[in-house]
Amino acid sequence: MLIVRGAIKDYDWGIVDGLERWSNRTTGGPQAELWFGVHPGGPSPVVDSDGVPTGELLADRFDVEAIPLLVKLLAAARPLSVQLHPTRQRARDGWEAQRQEGSPPVFSDPFEKTEMLVALDPFEAFVGWRDIREAAAVLRGIDGTEEAVAALEAGRLGEAIRLLLDLASDERVAALPAAASAAGLPPEQVEAYAIVAENYPGDQGGLLTPLLAYLKLEPGQAVYVPAGLPHSYIRGTGLEVMTSSDNVIRLGLTSKAVFVDHAIEALIPGLQPQFMPTTHGDLIWPIDSPFVVRVHRTGTERIQQGSYRIVLLIEGEATVASEFGEIVLSPGTAAVIASDDPDNYVTSNGLVAIIQSTER
Ligand SMILES: [Zn+2]
């Protein structure tokens, strides 16, 4: 068992010092994500029992076979890009093709990215597809969208996406909140479109947001986002669990590169998110998921030998004990437990996330 801290990412959409309670650092700038894992994009530093870095990285000791999950704490001040992630096959093929042809860097690694977000504060997101009639009603409130709406209603999603990307302009993106209101969407959704319009004026992906379903998670609730499902997290603080991949194919609301053809190819029609209306203490186990998550306040939980496990303390205190001894976690530190390590017992008084990989 090793103790790690998160590797900090300062993406521009992060909350200023938003992860301070876990990073133990004030930077005066955005703190968007803390990464707990071995992904080369942000390998976690190993720390001693006092939380002091040992100079070693988790990736020096384990590879992605041993640690197939990446866990993040995320603090979003404004919407993240409209994005989706590739399946295992698509990531593998895309990565290979990209290496051989020297084509643009669409893929960051050869792995599937399937993810789940557990809200730590109220968390708003666009995830999956909005009902087509509702999406069409919003889009009709925006000038010039007739052809795109017709394509959407005829089930030609790729065509609708391309048309909406071409139509995006300052004026049309600014019209989103009024169009949402006119279509009868509730005030919190109108507000979400106001946030999009304010933060991404004229963004080419702005008009795609009416295609996406709105979701508000209360603390402890979760949404599972399989590969192939479009989403854009709007704002909030959460715990994110995913396969160890950084494969993000973007369509908009970003200053990074967008890959429209790749995104449309990677879309899986008919796919829906799994909403987990759980409260703290429940096991969160999405269907066909490569991981399970438990978020606990108090008590003792046994975590069995036989799969990769990571225990991340979010608030309060926790100990992780096995026949070999006991460690005490502080908020923002995590115990990393390899598959062949023995059973461990997690005792918490606060809020602790216990994440295990599953066989697939
Ligand atoms: Zn994502």
Side-chain angles (χ1 to χ4, degrees):
M1 177 158 54
L2 293 172
I3 312 173
V4 297
R5 272 202 175 281
I8 197 160
K9 306 296 258 182
D10 61 355
Y11 305 136
D12 56 2
W13 48 259
I15 297 175
V16 172
D17 289 327
L19 298 167
E20 183 191 345
R21 55 188 148 150
W22 301 301
S23 66
N24 249 353
R25 274 169 55 188
T26 50
T27 52
Q31 296 189 356
E33 295 181 340
L34 281 171
W35 289 24
F36 300 83
V38 295
H39 194 280
S44 302
V46 175
V47 297
D48 66 18
S49 55
D50 295 321
V52 178
T54 64
E56 200 178 25
L57 297 173
L58 186 58
D60 297 333
R61 297 282 284 273
F62 293 104
D63 63 10
V64 68
E65 298 293 320
I67 299 192
L69 301 180
L70 177 59
V71 173
K72 299 179 182 177
L73 289 164
L74 171 151
R78 57 189 170 90
L80 282 66
S81 57
V82 176
Q83 58 180 251
L84 56 95
H85 308 299
T87 59
R88 186 182 300 193
Q89 188 70 45
R90 188 168 293 280
R92 201 182 287 158
D93 293 351
W95 176 254
E96 264 318 299
Q98 177 175 306
R99 280 176 45 180
Q100 285 164 8
E101 294 163 21
S103 49
V106 183
F107 297 91
S108 307
D109 53 66
F111 305 112
E112 170 168 313
K113 183 158 139 89
T114 273
E115 69 191 27
M116 184 166 74
L117 185 103
V118 184
L120 297 176
D121 295 332
F123 198 103
E124 292 174 86
F126 293 116
V127 184
W129 302 107
R130 189 181 283 279
D131 174 82
I132 284 179
R133 280 160 303 182
E134 205 173 80
V138 177
L139 288 171
R140 279 199 189 92
I142 296 168
D143 188 42
T145 57
E146 297 78 6
E147 207 185 333
V149 169
L152 178 67
E153 289 180 325
R156 299 192 305 273
L157 189 59
E159 185 186 332
I161 289 171
R162 288 180 204 280
L163 287 165
L164 291 169
L165 288 166
D166 286 346
L167 279 170
S169 66
D170 281 2
E171 269 173 24
R172 291 191 177 108
V173 173
L176 277 169
S181 179
L185 297 190
E188 60 186 6
Q189 296 202 36
V190 175
E191 166 76 14
Y193 286 109
I195 292 169
V196 169
E198 185 186 319
N199 286 287
Y200 295 97
D203 186 281
Q204 77 155 344
L207 299 186
L208 300 181
T209 52
L211 302 181
L212 304 179
Y214 172 88
L215 183 62
K216 183 168 187 182
L217 300 171
E218 295 303 329
Q221 296 183 334
V223 64
Y224 179 66
V225 183
L229 189 76
H231 53 283
S232 165
Y233 297 149
I234 299 169
R235 58 178 171 179
T237 305
L239 168 77
E240 219 185 349
V241 181
M242 66 203 71
T243 44
S244 187
S245 169
D246 196 30
N247 275 326
V248 183
I249 309 176
R250 296 178 182 84
L251 274 166
L253 306 192
T254 185
S255 51
K256 296 182 183 169
V258 298
F259 293 102
V260 177
D261 293 342
H262 286 87
I264 290 172
E265 275 172 31
L267 287 173
I268 301 177
L271 192 65
Q272 289 294 340
Q274 293 178 46
F275 173 55
M276 307 278 167
T278 49
T279 52
H280 290 138
D282 292 339
L283 177 69
I284 309 173
W285 194 336
I287 298 162
D288 288 332
S289 159
F291 45 76
V292 295
V293 178
R294 285 175 274 180
V295 183
H296 269 272
R297 285 221 169 266
T298 55
T300 299
E301 281 285 308
R302 175 175 172 227
I303 45 173
Q304 263 185 303
Q305 185 176 25
S307 64
Y308 168 62
R309 295 150 284 173
I310 177 167
V311 180
L312 171 60
L313 184 63
I314 294 161
E315 62 184 55
E317 46 201 43
T319 59
V320 183
S322 76
E323 63 195 67
F324 297 132
E326 180 178 285
I327 61 156
V328 179
L329 293 176
S330 58
T333 61
V336 169
I337 308 164
S339 173
D340 55 2
D341 281 347
D343 287 4
N344 274 262
Y345 294 86
V346 180
T347 303
S348 59
N349 183 13
L351 194 62
V352 69
I354 303 169
I355 297 131
Q356 286 174 255
S357 67
T358 56
E359 294 296 322
R360 277 212 297 180

